[in-house]
Amino acid sequence: MTSSSDAVTQLLIAWGNGDQSARDQLMTLVYEELHRLAHRYIRKERPGHTLQTSALVNEAFVRLVDQKNVHCENRAHFFAIAAQMMRRILVDYARNRRSVKRGGEAWQVTFNEDLIVPDERSADVVALDEALNELAKIDDRKRKVVELRFFGGLSIEETAEVLAVSPGTVMRDWALSKAWLKRAMTQENRSQIDN
């Protein structure tokens, strides 16, 4: 009997080789995990937001399916790509809401995880995206670590596998990235208040 991870990897290979039934089987196999991941993001949003968990999952999967050359090496790599898709969807949604409201209350997401200090302040998802883009200019691997851990929900070991580095390297990058983002986002909030 193969593990779920092995089954996902086999389906990804088959899908990458053009087997459309593998894509459908893959969706069935990973839907619950993607749903849990999306729910984690959605529950951190402010009350009254309109993006639903299922909509986030479905949109991410549609975007994955629309990719011309889907070549995921394994389960962790698939969830890394799914994390990038969810990040883009959340950012697009936040920017759209911000432009519609023009000065209204920004859509909020909490940059929080069990490993992050519990009193972490709420951060605007667009500001988080901008901070991650700045971090990428300095050290793109650290940006990827945040994306995989925060948006992808991957463990230290899974993140290390995707990035082909040691778990110790991921742990150091994760700690440094959290500190850098917290400082960058605090500075951003101060500059917005001063304007």
Side-chain angles (χ1 to χ4, degrees):
M1 185 169 129
T2 64
S3 71
S4 174
S5 183
D6 291 340
V8 168
T9 300
Q10 291 171 357
L11 288 170
L12 287 166
I13 292 168
W15 181 24
N17 290 329
D19 182 350
Q20 295 307 306
S21 67
R23 179 195 67 200
D24 298 337
Q25 291 174 36
L26 178 66
M27 179 61 169
T28 301
L29 192 59
V30 300
Y31 185 84
E32 286 304 314
E33 195 167 350
L34 286 173
H35 196 273
R36 276 192 303 277
L37 183 62
H39 181 70
R40 193 177 99 204
Y41 302 143
I42 297 296
R43 78 169 189 245
K44 295 176 184 176
E45 300 306 321
R46 66 171 176 76
H49 67 83
T50 58
L51 185 63
Q52 299 297 314
T53 302
S54 295
L56 179 56
V57 172
N58 292 336
E59 180 64 21
F61 203 79
V62 165
R63 289 187 186 191
L64 283 166
V65 168
D66 286 345
Q67 297 279 316
K68 296 288 185 224
N69 297 313
V70 177
H71 294 291
C72 297
E73 298 165 13
N74 53 40
R75 177 193 164 282
H77 190 225
F78 172 80
F79 280 98
I81 293 171
Q84 291 174 339
M85 292 297 171
M86 287 189 191
R87 175 183 169 202
R88 289 180 194 144
I89 293 163
L90 290 169
V91 170
D92 290 348
Y93 183 81
R95 284 189 175 134
N96 185 43
R97 285 196 41 88
R98 188 182 265 181
S99 69
V100 168
K101 288 195 166 196
R102 297 208 186 240
E105 184 177 322
W107 191 54
Q108 299 288 313
V109 63
T110 303
F111 184 74
N112 191 0
E113 186 185 315
D114 295 337
L115 300 174
I116 300 175
V117 178
D119 64 347
E120 189 78 37
R121 302 166 91 192
S122 289
D124 179 59
V125 73
V126 175
L128 175 58
D129 181 63
E130 290 168 357
L132 284 172
N133 290 336
E134 288 302 311
L135 180 59
K137 293 176 186 175
I138 298 166
D139 189 333
D140 192 47
R141 187 182 71 213
K142 286 182 177 61
R143 187 250 334 147
K144 289 176 184 175
V145 167
V146 172
E147 197 167 66
L148 294 171
R149 300 273 296 133
F150 182 71
F151 288 98
L154 297 183
S155 69
I156 295 288
E157 292 75 19
E158 290 170 324
T159 303
E161 180 182 344
V162 169
L163 298 177
V165 297
S166 73
T169 297
V170 171
M171 289 176 14
R172 283 187 299 278
D173 284 355
W174 179 235
L176 290 169
S177 298
K178 288 186 297 183
W180 189 93
L181 287 168
K182 185 175 184 175
R183 188 181 73 242
M185 293 178 74
T186 301
Q187 288 173 350
E188 175 67 25
N189 288 339
R190 283 189 201 136
S191 69
Q192 288 178 0
I193 291 169
D194 293 340
N195 288 333

